[in-house]
């Protein structure tokens, strides 16, 4: 339980509602900022404006997946207010106060560092990334169906990268009957691709691997699907780029060649916000419980 713990949940989309639900179940005291248009009331949670929050007794601050923008502004789907997280707010918190975010940027790194507060990036964790790969793959299947006039079954797929997303994508499309080739650069990844019954190729051979591809799914966050690679693809190829913005595809050249290339960020939040929220809520509640227990242990 989190009885006695005071947590600020600031901004976010439907995923944050699962976090709020879970933390109220665990009896935490919540200050909700950026939720005033939400009709639902949560027991133990108070909706506040950012300048009403008493940061001096805050044990944790939970930000939405993107954290803040480079000016410190936080996305608030359930509010019209402009909400900013400032260094002076962190300075008011107790020294043990931890800031939780999906990802970070220079601004968030800088204010947490200057205020000497711990910042936890949930999306850096393997468990979150692997659980998140499940709704990501389902969203990718949805896009493949929406943007092609052929079945996945029997189609020729090229998946780039065998990380947490690439592995789930490759295995799921294979189980739907696609013929899947996977490109990687490490010999252990080539070995794993072979072990999975998929066709491996080294990324240096990417241009040769795409000559007959129907769907190319990129998970590598670097310009890998470049003009030279795209020029070798059949005209009907669909490129789905899952890598974080700006993706790993030369979209300008793809358009020029008439090849459909889609950047598809944030699929879990789009296709399964409830599950995506529960993934974050489960991991977050465990981290908060551990932190709370550690502090109580030290105090006794
Ligand atoms: P990951 O586990 O770190 O995997 C990244 C893969 O890219 C690894 O196979 C890595 O290979 C490869 N890679 C990285 N840099 C490379 C380079 N310069 N050249 C060749 N290969 C390179 O990451 P992940 O969790 O799978 O996520 C992949 C991407 O998808 C990230 O950008 C993530 O933000 C994004 N994502 C998008 C969605 C969505 O909804 N679209 C959802 C989740 C994640 P090595 O091991 O050889 O470095």
């Amino acid at each position: 339980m989190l009885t006695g713990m005071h947590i600020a949940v600031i901004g976010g989309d439907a995923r944050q509602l699962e976090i709020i639900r879970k933390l109220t179940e665990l009896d935490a005291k919540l200050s909700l900022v950026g939720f005033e248009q939400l009709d639902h009331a949560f027991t133990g949670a108070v909706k506040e404006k950012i300048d009403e929050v008493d940061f001096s007794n805050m044990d944790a601050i939970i930000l939405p997946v993107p954290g803040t923008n480079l000016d410190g502004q936080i996305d608030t789907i359930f509010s019209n207010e402009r909400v900013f997280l400032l260094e002076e707010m962190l300075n008011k918190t107790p020294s043990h106060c931890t800031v939780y975010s999906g990802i970070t940027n220079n601004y968030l790194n800088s204010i947490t560092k200057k205020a000497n507060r711990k910042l936890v990036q949930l999306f850096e964790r393997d468990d979150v990334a692997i659980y998140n790969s499940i709704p990501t793959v389902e969203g990718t299947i949805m896009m493949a169906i929406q943007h092609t006039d052929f079945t996945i079954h029997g189609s020729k797929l090229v998946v780039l990268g065998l990380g947490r997303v690439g592995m789930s994508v490759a295995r799921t499309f294979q189980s739907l009957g696609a013929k899947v080739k996977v490109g990687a650069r490490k010999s252990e990844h080539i070995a794993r691709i072979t072990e999975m019954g998929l066709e491996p190729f080294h990324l240096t051979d990417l241009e040769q691997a795409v000559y007959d591809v129907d769907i190319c799914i990129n998970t590598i966050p670097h310009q890998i699907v470049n003009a030279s690679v795209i020029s070798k693809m059949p005209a009907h190829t669909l490129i789905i780029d899952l890598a974080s913005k700006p993706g790993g595809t030369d979209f300008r050249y793809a358009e020029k060649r008439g090849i459909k290339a889609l950047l598809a960020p944030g699929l879990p939040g789009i296709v399964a916000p409830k599950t995506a929220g529960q993934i974050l809520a489960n991991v977050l509640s465990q981290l908060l419980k551990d932190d709370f227990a550690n502090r109580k242990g030290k105090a006794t």
Side-chain angles (χ1 to χ4, degrees):
M1 297 299 284
L2 297 174
T3 311
M5 199 168 190
H6 195 168
I7 302 168
V9 181
I10 308 181
D13 54 27
R15 287 174 283 186
Q16 282 343 67
L17 303 184
E18 296 303 318
I19 294 171
I20 295 168
R21 198 164 286 134
K22 182 91 182 177
L23 299 184
T24 48
E25 263 170 38
L26 291 169
D27 201 27
K29 186 178 169 202
L30 300 185
S31 293
L32 307 181
V33 179
F35 292 93
E36 71 268 9
Q37 288 175 356
L38 190 71
D39 286 337
H40 195 84
F42 295 93
T43 319
V46 183
K47 291 177 190 164
E48 291 176 83
K49 294 204 184 308
I50 191 86
D51 47 13
E52 293 167 354
V53 175
D54 179 5
F55 283 97
S56 68
N57 61 6
M58 212 49 81
D59 297 302
I61 296 174
I62 298 176
L63 302 178
V65 169
T68 66
N69 71 12
L70 288 172
D71 299 319
Q73 190 172 355
I74 299 172
D75 278 346
T76 51
I77 303 293
F78 300 106
S79 166
N80 290 329
E81 301 268 327
R82 280 159 59 83
V83 175
F84 290 84
L85 185 70
L86 306 175
E87 187 194 333
E88 67 210 46
M89 296 169 184
L90 298 183
N91 283 333
K92 288 182 192 151
T93 60
S95 59
H96 66 260
C97 178
T98 302
V99 179
Y100 296 89
S101 175
I103 56 174
T104 186
N105 59 24
N106 287 342
Y107 176 86
L108 194 51
N109 285 339
S110 160
I111 60 165
T112 48
K113 193 170 174 209
K114 282 190 204 151
N116 199 19
R117 296 294 174 266
K118 188 173 159 195
L119 172 66
V120 176
Q121 281 184 74
L122 295 169
F123 276 24
E124 280 221 321
R125 295 174 56 92
D126 272 341
D127 50 4
V128 172
I130 293 168
Y131 286 128
N132 236 345
S133 74
I134 301 167
T136 304
V137 172
E138 291 191 9
T140 312
I141 294 168
M142 176 190 77
M143 294 190 73
I145 292 170
Q146 277 174 345
H147 294 279
T148 58
D149 56 4
F150 48 85
T151 57
I152 292 170
H153 187 276
S155 63
K156 297 187 185 76
L157 235 88
V158 165
V159 177
L160 301 176
L162 192 77
R164 290 140 331 167
V165 174
M167 188 179 286
S168 304
V169 166
R171 198 187 29 241
T172 310
F173 276 84
Q174 180 195 36
S175 64
L176 289 174
K179 299 180 186 93
V180 182
K181 289 186 209 172
V182 185
R185 61 180 174 179
K186 287 183 180 151
S187 63
E188 62 265 38
H189 284 173
I190 299 289
R192 179 60 70 194
I193 296 161
T194 310
E195 177 276 327
M196 289 169 74
L198 303 162
E199 191 181 326
F201 68 90
H202 197 280
L203 285 171
T204 49
D205 299 327
L206 178 54
E207 290 185 19
Q208 293 88 290
V210 297
Y211 79 95
D212 62 348
V213 62
D214 297 312
I215 305 174
C216 175
I217 301 175
N218 177 49
T219 73
I220 298 176
H222 284 276
Q223 270 275 323
I224 183 117
V225 189
N226 55 31
S228 185
V229 172
I230 295 169
S231 71
K232 308 292 184 310
M233 292 176 174
H236 72 271
T237 303
L238 169 68
I239 301 170
I240 302 176
D241 199 331
L242 299 177
S244 48
K245 281 181 191 166
T249 302
D250 186 338
F251 290 97
R252 185 204 61 84
Y253 183 75
E255 190 177 358
K256 190 171 173 191
R257 245 215 86 191
I259 286 193
K260 195 185 269 187
L262 308 166
L263 184 62
L267 287 175
I270 296 167
V271 298
K274 192 175 176 74
T275 309
Q278 284 166 345
I279 291 166
L280 294 172
N282 289 339
V283 173
L284 247 177
S285 55
Q286 194 53 52
L287 292 175
L288 290 165
K289 278 187 212 165
D290 292 347
D291 177 51
F292 200 35
N294 275 342
R295 277 191 291 114
K296 278 206 285 196
K298 277 184 195 152
T300 52

